[in-house]
C-alpha cells in the first residue's frame, strides 16, 4: 500500500555520492520529517519512499537528472567585487544569497577571488552528482488539520516556529 498525500513521514537516511563519500546523515534523535505530496523532497525520492513499509529499509539511487540536475557552466559568473556589500568576506567557499529577477532568494558560493572580480557559482552544491540514499522508514501518520493548513509538519519531529 503506497503512502498517499498529506501524511507526516518520518525517516532516517544516509546520503552518499558515487564515490561513497557521505554527504548527509540523519540519526534517531533527529530524523527527517516531511509532509507527503507537498513537493518537500525530491519527487523521485518521494516516489521511491511511498512504496516502503514502516520499519523497512531501502537503497534508493537517483541519477543527477532526477536529483539536482546537471552541473551548468553558465551558472558560473564573474561579478565585480564592488557589487558585494561593504565588508563582505570575499573568500573561496563562502556562501551568499542573491535575489533572482522575480525576487526569489538563490544561494551561490564564491569559487575564486581575483583582483577586481569574483567568480561565483549558482549551481546547487549537489548538481551533477548521482545520489545514493539508504533510507529507513520510521513512521507514517495522518497530518493534522493545522499541519495541512500550514503546509508543514508540527510537533516534536517538525519545525518549532510558532
Ligand atoms: Zn505551522
Amino acid at each position: 500500500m503506497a503512502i498517499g498525500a498529506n501524511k507526516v513521514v518520518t525517516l532516517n537516511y544516509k546520503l552518499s555520492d558515487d564515490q561513497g563519500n557521505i554527504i548527509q546523515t540523519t540519526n534517531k534523535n533527529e530524523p527527517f520529517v516531511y509532509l507527503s505530496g507537498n513537493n518537500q523532497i525530491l519527487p523521485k525520492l518521494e516516489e521511491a519512499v511511498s512504496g516502503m513499509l514502516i520499519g523497512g529499509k531501502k537503497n534508493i539511487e537517483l541519477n543527477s537528472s532526477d536529483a539536482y540536475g546537471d552541473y551548468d557552466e553558465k551558472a558560473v559568473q564573474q561579478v565585480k567585487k564592488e557589487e558585494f556589500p561593504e565588508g563582505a568576506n570575499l573568500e573561496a567557499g563562502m556562501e551568499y544569497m542573491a535575489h533572482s529577477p522575480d525576487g526569489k532568494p538563490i544561494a551561490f558560493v564564491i569559487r575564486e577571488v581575483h583582483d577586481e572580480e569574483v567568480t561565483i557559482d549558482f549551481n546547487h552544491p549537489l548538481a551533477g552528482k548521482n545520489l545514493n540514499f539508504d533510507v529507513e522508514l520510521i513512521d507514517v501518520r495522518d497530518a493534522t488539520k493545522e499541519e495541512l493548513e500550514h503546509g508543514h509538519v508540527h510537533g516534536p519531529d517538525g519545525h518549532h516556529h510558532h
Side-chain angles (χ1 to χ4, degrees):
M1 200 177 71
I3 300 169
N6 298 327
K7 305 282 183 189
V8 173
V9 181
T10 304
L11 50 82
N12 276 309
Y13 69 83
K14 186 176 82 181
L15 169 59
S16 53
D17 63 19
D18 280 346
Q19 285 72 45
N21 300 308
I22 294 178
I23 297 166
Q24 280 172 7
T25 59
T26 60
N27 62 61
K28 280 196 186 68
N29 299 323
E30 284 178 81
F32 180 73
V33 181
Y34 69 95
L35 187 60
S36 66
N38 285 264
N39 291 318
Q40 295 187 346
I41 67 170
L42 293 166
K44 289 283 180 189
L45 179 62
E46 180 156 15
E47 195 181 306
V49 170
S50 78
M52 292 176 68
L53 299 172
I54 292 172
K57 293 182 182 181
K58 195 170 181 178
N59 182 252
I60 299 165
E61 297 180 11
L62 298 187
N63 287 323
S64 60
S65 57
D66 288 329
Y68 293 98
D70 294 327
Y71 189 84
D72 180 6
E73 296 291 345
K74 289 198 284 296
V76 179
Q77 298 173 7
Q78 309 289 330
V79 293
K80 294 243 182 282
K81 274 184 178 172
E82 63 210 37
E83 289 181 41
F84 283 85
E86 209 174 318
N89 183 8
L90 300 183
E91 267 180 49
M94 293 296 292
E95 290 177 31
Y96 286 97
M97 295 297 273
H99 288 275
S100 64
D102 59 2
K104 283 195 187 129
I106 28 173
F108 66 86
V109 65
I110 294 178
R111 290 283 172 224
E112 289 169 29
V113 181
H114 308 279
D115 287 345
E116 290 179 10
E117 291 187 325
V118 176
T119 306
I120 63 173
D121 186 349
F122 284 98
N123 282 292
H124 189 280
L126 298 178
K129 289 188 190 217
N130 299 328
L131 303 182
N132 303 296
F133 290 90
D134 278 316
V135 175
E136 180 179 7
L137 185 59
I138 306 295
D139 188 40
V140 178
R141 66 164 168 85
D142 290 327
T144 64
K145 199 169 158 239
E146 194 187 38
E147 286 171 325
L148 293 177
E149 282 167 4
H150 288 209
H152 55 231
V153 176
H154 292 165
D157 296 325
H159 304 285
H160 298 266
H161 69 116
H162 298 286

